[in-house]
Amino acid sequence: PRLEISDAAIDAQYTAAKHLEDFTQTSADAVKQLVHSKNTASDFKKRLQERDSTTYRSAIKASDTIVKEIEKEIALFLGEIDERQGITLDPTVRVMERIGTAQSYVESRPNGLTITENQLITQAKEELDATLESVNAFYGSKWPAYKKAMEALNFSPFEPIKTFTQK
């Protein structure tokens, strides 16, 4: 109550926060779709291995390859999985880090946005746009080719039915 904050500053901060919220939601939706695709490919690989790992060797390898490609796309948003123990630092700035930094700065400015906040928002948007372009390119070329190859296998989850007789 003791701070004198203009309505324009409040509106600017609110609008910027909403934009960053939209960036976060778009990122989350993209990662969710990537994780679903990764799980689909991993599950398909597992079923192929259970059925006949020699016959489906090339399909299993294709599943491994597509899973690695998907992990690279996910890493653009969240970073790579680091198996090292202790505190580790990945010097690469990822999309979610850019959005988080911009969000933190926007929330800390009660008197309105400065050049710094606007620059951070722009950087977050540019990083998100570039990453979404990469994800869309993946789903435009690599995923359809994999999907088509897997569908061509005529692999059904149903096992052949045996006829039983008593001896």
Side-chain angles (χ1 to χ4, degrees):
R2 296 180 190 171
L3 297 175
E4 290 189 29
I5 303 171
S6 70
D7 288 342
I10 293 171
D11 290 344
Q13 185 181 26
Y14 177 79
T15 302
K18 284 310 234 181
H19 284 308
L20 292 167
E21 185 179 301
D22 291 342
F23 295 170
T24 302
Q25 186 62 52
T26 302
S27 298
D29 292 342
V31 170
K32 184 178 178 181
Q33 181 172 304
L34 287 164
V35 168
H36 179 71
S37 298
K38 178 183 172 185
N39 291 342
T40 300
S42 296
D43 182 56
F44 198 68
K45 173 191 166 190
K46 181 181 172 188
R47 291 188 350 198
L48 289 170
Q49 286 175 327
E50 289 171 355
R51 175 71 64 88
D52 187 357
S53 60
T54 357
T55 304
Y56 299 113
R57 181 177 290 132
S58 64
I60 291 168
K61 187 175 180 181
S63 294
D64 280 337
T65 302
I66 203 76
V67 165
K68 287 177 185 171
E69 290 289 330
I70 292 170
E71 287 174 348
K72 287 179 188 175
E73 295 296 326
I74 293 171
L76 295 174
F77 289 97
L78 306 174
E80 296 176 4
I81 296 172
D82 194 345
E83 300 294 334
R84 296 179 292 175
Q85 291 183 350
I87 298 172
T88 60
L89 177 64
D90 181 7
T92 308
V93 180
R94 307 298 179 169
V95 172
M96 295 309 297
E97 290 174 285
R98 290 226 186 259
I99 294 171
T101 301
Q103 186 73 39
S104 174
Y105 271 73
V106 166
E107 290 172 356
S108 71
R109 300 291 191 240
N111 292 324
L113 305 181
T114 65
I115 294 171
T116 303
E117 288 75 36
N118 289 321
Q119 197 170 29
L120 289 170
I121 292 168
T122 301
Q123 289 173 349
K125 182 181 182 333
E126 289 171 355
E127 187 81 21
L128 177 60
D129 288 344
T131 304
L132 291 175
E133 188 176 311
S134 175
V135 169
N136 291 334
F138 169 79
Y139 279 115
S141 62
K142 294 178 183 176
W143 183 254
Y146 169 76
K147 183 179 173 185
K148 185 177 179 181
M150 295 305 112
E151 288 172 344
L153 293 176
N154 292 325
F155 182 80
S156 172
F158 298 103
E159 296 289 329
I161 301 298
K162 299 176 185 174
T163 304
F164 297 96
T165 58
Q166 188 173 357
K167 295 181 183 178

